[in-house]
Amino acid sequence: MRAPYGLNILDNCVSCPVRGEHLFCNLSLNAAQRLNEIKSTAVYPRGAMLFIEGQQPRGVFVLCNGRVKLSTTSREGKTIITKISEPGDVLGLNAVVSNRPYEVTSEMMEPGQGNFIPRDSLLQLMKEFPEAAIRVAQQLSRNYFTAHEEIRTLGLAISPSEKFAKLLLSWSTSVPQNDGASQLRLTLTHEEIGELIGTTRETVSRLFSDFKKKQLLQLKGATLVIRSLPALEKIIHS
């Protein structure tokens, strides 16, 4: 089904062509049918808030397409992006399972589709289908690993250059590599990159300039070319 923003809406979990590619959605036919009954589908524009930090957990969102920025804010107003969620991620799961307020704010970075599952319906699905409970446990484990890596990046990295190099390397793992180089589409602003690595927009702009001068990366419009992955690794281990 075509929808606004040129999206291809995936409105049936049973017949979804990418169901098997995503951890939570890769369920047996009976469980997928039950999931299809309890979810509601919606399309969200860029900037839409799925839920807000501190809000009581009303349910989870299964991201079908688009990307979502998860962020948390200190009392002083400093914002840190904890994760950029991709299709297949289940948003708000930690809060829903623990019945505690959402620990992050979830904001659409681009138009996309999210399937909403109310909290009570999700818990009942887990009781009826043990495989769904296993998928939830696996997703929570992945969330823990992601949080652990975030702490390592922000807490153990010595300098902004090291944090920036780690971020670039993490991006490179999701795209093809050729002779120690890779390229990807850069959709984040310098301010958002700063929120990812715990620094300022001005510092990020300086890092881009420094890395360009060292021929570590190149920008061609919205395309970011990482020219030497080994050189980035050397920055991290130096």
Side-chain angles (χ1 to χ4, degrees):
M1 180 195 306
R2 302 301 292 182
Y5 314 111
L7 295 173
N8 184 26
I9 300 303
L10 306 173
D11 59 350
N12 190 320
C13 294
V14 176
S15 60
C16 175
V18 295
R19 188 181 81 188
E21 300 175 11
H22 302 313
L23 176 65
F24 178 76
C25 302
N26 189 18
L27 298 167
S28 66
L29 179 59
N30 288 340
Q33 288 175 336
R34 182 64 182 135
L35 176 64
N36 200 55
E37 294 170 358
I38 63 176
K39 60 84 178 172
S40 57
T41 299
V43 174
Y44 301 92
R46 173 185 170 90
M49 301 288 188
L50 303 183
F51 51 80
I52 298 174
E53 180 180 0
Q55 180 184 5
Q56 289 301 309
R58 56 193 183 91
V60 301
F61 292 83
V62 181
L63 189 62
C64 297
N65 48 50
R67 295 192 305 157
V68 171
K69 174 173 64 177
L70 303 181
S71 63
T72 183
T73 304
S74 70
R75 293 181 180 178
E76 294 76 25
K78 182 178 180 180
T79 299
I80 293 178
I81 297 176
T82 61
K83 184 182 179 183
I84 304 297
S85 291
E86 304 284 347
D89 285 349
V90 185
L91 313 178
L93 190 59
N94 298 353
V96 164
V97 172
S98 65
N99 197 26
R100 303 185 66 178
Y102 292 117
E103 70 276 17
V104 293
T105 293
S106 175
E107 178 183 351
M108 298 297 299
M109 298 182 64
E110 59 194 27
Q113 174 192 341
N115 287 343
F116 177 73
I117 305 173
R119 180 175 184 270
D120 290 344
S121 298
L122 177 64
L123 297 179
Q124 185 60 39
L125 176 71
M126 293 168 60
K127 291 179 181 179
E128 293 179 9
F129 297 94
E131 61 177 302
I134 292 174
R135 293 289 187 275
V136 167
Q138 290 173 326
Q139 184 70 59
L140 288 172
S141 179
R142 286 190 177 186
N143 293 349
Y144 169 80
F145 178 80
T146 300
H148 181 264
E149 288 300 301
E150 180 68 20
I151 292 171
R152 284 177 58 87
T153 297
L154 292 179
L156 300 182
I158 298 173
S159 67
S161 293
E162 184 180 346
K163 294 178 182 179
F164 189 50
K166 281 187 175 182
L167 180 65
L168 294 176
L169 282 174
S170 70
W171 287 347
S172 69
T173 60
S174 60
V175 296
Q177 300 180 16
N178 182 23
D179 295 330
S182 64
Q183 68 177 42
L184 51 94
R185 186 168 179 267
L186 183 63
T187 58
L188 297 175
T189 65
H190 285 196
E191 182 174 1
E192 288 172 328
I193 293 173
E195 291 172 352
L196 270 171
I197 62 176
T199 190
T200 64
R201 176 182 58 81
E202 292 78 11
T203 298
V204 172
S205 298
R206 177 178 58 78
L207 289 169
F208 266 105
S209 179
D210 290 346
F211 278 44
K212 286 179 188 177
K213 290 178 181 178
K214 295 176 182 177
Q215 298 187 340
L216 298 175
L217 57 81
Q218 182 180 3
L219 276 173
K220 299 178 180 179
T223 300
L224 173 64
V225 180
I226 303 174
R227 304 181 67 177
S228 177
L229 299 177
L232 293 182
E233 293 173 351
K234 187 175 179 180
I235 291 175
I236 294 173
H237 298 298
S238 63

